[in-house]
Amino acid sequence: MNDLVRQHTDLAESDLEWLHLLVSEWQLLSDLSFADLVLWVPTRDGTRYVSVAQMRPNTGPTSYQDDMVGHLVPRGRRPLLDAALDEGRIVREGDPEWREEVPVRVESIPVRREGRVLGVIARNTNLLTVRTPSRLELTYLQSASDLAQMIAAGAFPFPGQQVDMDASPRVGDGLIRLDADGVVQYASPNALSAYHRLGLASDLVGHHLGQVTAELAPSRGPVDEALVKMASGYAPRETEVEGNGGVIQLRAIPLKPKGTRIGSLVLLRDVTELRRRERELITKDATIREIHHRVKNNLQTVAALLRLQARRMDSERGREALSEAVRRVGSIAIVHETLSQNLDERVQFDEIADRVIAMVAEISPGKVACRRTGRFGILDAEVATPLSMVLTEVLQNALEHAFSAGERGTVEVSAVRGDQRADSRLLITVQDDGRGLPEGFDAHRAGNLGLQIVRTLVEGEMGGSFDMLPVPPPGRGTRVVLDIPVSAQK
């Protein structure tokens, strides 16, 4: 819609925002009217109309099989559009049109904002299935007529009341029509069932909806006056009411077709099962976070025991082996600590990488500088845990074998994240400027434990590739390259 409006019209950005607000709400008008809606806006030269948005009803058959958005129509071809735009009134004159052997009643509703008509809504009703309307259908049509008059007067949609139509109740979920005093004139079967879920044992018609709703909602003190007013439809509001083990979502829409409130529409939906599942998910998330927290504590306890055992050993090689084990356990604990603070099984790995680098760098304080460039991004837990161990092993190997005692140098960890495709990859390079690899060294056949761990985790668990190469001349040192498949989210 933005592109079409800016390409063909001179409407201001504030006018475009009003059209967006209207389009976010007009599913309500379409469903109440049992009709298709097409929004036509006059072009900047005034000789044509361009259709910038379209809506089909959920409550009846469509009048348009094709998408109308983007169509241009010369002025004069559709007299109802001209009359609504020029006269600023709803136009219903004319006989039904025939489209592919289907009779269609066409009406035009001017879209007004601050006294100016921005465009026209063409309301197209398929008359093929016309029959004697029920009480529900009559209520729908009367409510649609009131909303159409409000649009023509610039009183609907409500400024500052942006509605998420995916989350808000719809016409078919449940509808209640109130008079100006908040007394129920009509309640659809779905609406009545929702209130029975709250504990209502009688009918709604003839009762004050605000008072009935407040009595059904548990309260320790006096009646909730705010809930009474909201459910009475005095202002456009949304809320949820819980009682008797049920939860219903309410949305009130005041009806002011001629500037004075004549009543209200209340849309409602039974969201009991949805809220129950949300609570179960919240409980499950809390349990998972607690498990990660306890795993982290247990790993830290294991690391502390290994550290204590290392201090008691006389063998230097034994102490080094236990110190390496402490770092390996610590790298896994860092991941679980991060997961214990998240709502999902995904972590921002840049923070984990920085902590792993700082932990491993402790074995050569003041001698070798370690730094990170690039971004790892967000990783799933099943990738983050083995990757933290791999990064620990590669860094530990570089700090222990690339430099002599007291020698200064640099180890750089570089991360490059692929694009947003499903087959995105993460390319990690760990490069040092140390002494380099021994003659004839083959990283895929080397037998030390650290490289075995790296190969097993990268190739076996993460499905990636691993290589260790000398830095090309004139540089010196060693470069470790890890290529790992990851999810597309960064």
Side-chain angles (χ1 to χ4, degrees):
M1 186 166 74
N2 287 348
D3 294 340
L4 288 170
V5 169
R6 289 166 181 160
Q7 179 182 353
H8 295 284
T9 78
D10 289 327
L11 291 179
E13 288 297 315
S14 58
D15 294 332
L16 180 56
E17 286 301 315
W18 181 261
L19 295 183
H20 274 292
L21 188 60
L22 172 66
V23 168
S24 73
E25 291 271 29
W26 71 345
Q27 180 74 65
L28 174 63
L29 177 61
S30 178
D31 290 346
L32 289 172
S33 304
F34 308 98
D36 292 76
L37 305 178
V38 180
L39 177 58
W40 297 93
V41 179
T43 57
R44 59 173 56 89
D45 59 6
T47 62
R48 296 181 296 177
Y49 298 96
V50 57
S51 59
V52 299
Q54 179 179 358
M55 178 57 65
R56 292 183 172 90
N58 293 317
T59 53
T62 183
S63 302
Y64 286 111
Q65 298 300 325
D66 299 326
D67 188 1
M68 295 295 296
V69 175
H71 282 215
L72 290 165
V73 174
R75 184 177 172 88
R77 180 175 295 178
R78 300 194 176 182
L80 296 186
L81 293 182
D82 299 338
L85 182 68
D86 297 338
E87 302 173 21
R89 64 181 180 87
I90 299 175
V91 182
R92 297 190 177 94
E93 294 89 351
D95 297 327
E97 297 181 3
W98 287 84
R99 300 176 186 164
E100 298 180 357
E101 300 183 356
V102 175
V104 177
R105 183 176 63 241
V106 181
E107 304 171 79
S108 295
I109 305 168
V111 178
R112 192 184 303 273
R113 176 179 180 264
E114 296 179 350
R116 296 179 296 113
V117 178
L118 306 182
V120 179
I121 295 176
R123 180 164 57 175
N124 304 270
T125 306
N126 187 324
L127 301 178
L128 195 61
T129 58
V130 169
R131 53 184 174 77
T132 303
S134 65
R135 177 72 187 280
L136 180 144
E137 291 167 334
L138 288 173
T139 303
Y140 278 20
L141 293 172
Q142 180 58 55
S143 301
S145 176
D146 294 335
L147 282 177
Q149 292 182 57
M150 292 171 65
I151 292 173
F156 187 84
F158 302 109
Q161 293 289 326
Q162 188 75 33
V163 175
D164 182 1
M165 292 306 299
D166 291 333
S168 293
R170 298 200 175 200
V171 170
D173 296 327
L175 178 142
I176 297 175
R177 175 82 186 224
L178 307 179
D179 65 13
D181 297 322
V183 176
V184 178
Q185 293 180 311
Y186 175 79
S188 71
N190 285 346
L192 192 57
S193 296
Y195 265 83
H196 286 166
R197 188 75 175 263
L198 289 181
L200 180 69
S202 61
D203 195 0
L204 276 172
V205 175
H207 293 80
H208 191 280
L209 185 66
Q211 295 176 358
V212 170
T213 304
E215 291 170 359
L216 293 174
S219 176
R220 297 178 180 177
V223 173
D224 188 342
E225 294 296 335
L227 181 58
V228 172
K229 189 172 182 180
M230 183 273 154
S232 300
Y234 289 104
R237 293 286 186 274
E238 285 195 38
T239 192
E240 285 191 5
V241 179
E242 184 171 358
N244 194 40
V247 184
I248 62 172
Q249 184 180 14
L250 297 176
R251 181 190 175 198
I253 304 170
L255 297 176
K256 304 176 182 179
K258 296 182 180 179
T260 303
R261 192 175 71 86
I262 63 169
S264 305
L265 276 185
V266 177
L267 305 181
L268 64 154
R269 177 172 57 180
D270 186 345
V271 292
T272 304
E273 290 303 312
L274 179 62
R275 295 295 176 259
R276 181 184 64 81
R277 291 173 185 173
E278 287 178 351
R279 293 188 185 108
E280 289 179 353
L281 288 175
I282 292 173
T283 302
K284 185 181 293 185
D285 287 340
T287 302
I288 291 173
R289 290 200 300 272
E290 178 62 22
I291 289 173
H292 284 303
H293 181 70
R294 294 189 182 189
V295 169
K296 182 263 297 184
N297 289 344
N298 291 339
L299 290 173
Q300 289 180 337
T301 300
V302 171
L305 292 173
L306 291 174
R307 197 177 294 113
L308 181 62
Q309 185 67 34
R311 295 195 188 108
R312 294 175 175 269
M313 293 194 70
D314 297 329
S315 169
E316 182 66 25
R317 291 187 62 186
R319 283 197 297 273
E320 291 179 358
L322 288 175
S323 296
E324 290 179 3
V326 168
R327 284 188 286 273
R328 289 167 184 149
V329 172
S331 67
I332 302 175
I334 291 173
V335 177
H336 282 282
E337 181 180 5
T338 305
L339 288 170
S340 69
Q341 300 168 1
N342 291 346
L343 292 176
D344 55 16
E345 292 290 289
R346 301 175 69 84
V347 296
Q348 176 57 258
F349 197 80
D350 295 320
E351 178 185 351
I352 293 175
D354 292 339
R355 293 179 64 180
V356 168
I357 291 170
M359 178 183 67
V360 177
E362 292 177 357
I363 65 175
S364 56
K367 301 174 186 177
V368 180
C370 297
R371 64 172 180 264
R372 173 180 64 86
T373 61
R375 291 182 60 252
F376 289 85
I378 298 175
L379 298 177
D380 293 327
E382 56 263 28
V383 175
T385 302
L387 183 56
S388 67
M389 283 197 65
V390 167
L391 194 57
T392 300
E393 296 298 331
V394 173
L395 287 169
Q396 189 168 287
N397 187 71
L399 293 173
E400 288 184 355
H401 302 295
F403 306 97
S404 302
E407 184 181 2
R408 296 187 179 277
T410 302
V411 177
E412 180 175 314
V413 179
S414 172
V416 178
R417 191 71 179 265
D419 58 24
Q420 293 282 5
R421 298 174 302 170
D423 59 346
S424 175
R425 304 188 73 83
L426 175 62
L427 183 65
I428 305 167
T429 304
V430 180
Q431 182 170 315
D432 64 67
D433 55 3
R435 64 170 65 97
L437 296 172
E439 188 70 26
F441 178 83
D442 185 354
H444 296 280
R445 296 184 179 180
N448 71 71
L449 178 60
L451 291 181
Q452 288 181 10
I453 291 175
V454 171
R455 287 198 302 270
T456 300
L457 293 178
V458 172
E459 298 174 357
E461 186 164 340
M462 290 187 284
S465 62
F466 155 73
D467 206 354
M468 182 180 285
L469 307 166
V471 175
R476 71 164 197 162
T478 304
R479 177 183 297 164
V480 176
V481 180
L482 308 171
D483 188 357
I484 301 169
V486 292
S487 62
Q489 183 173 347
K490 297 184 178 180

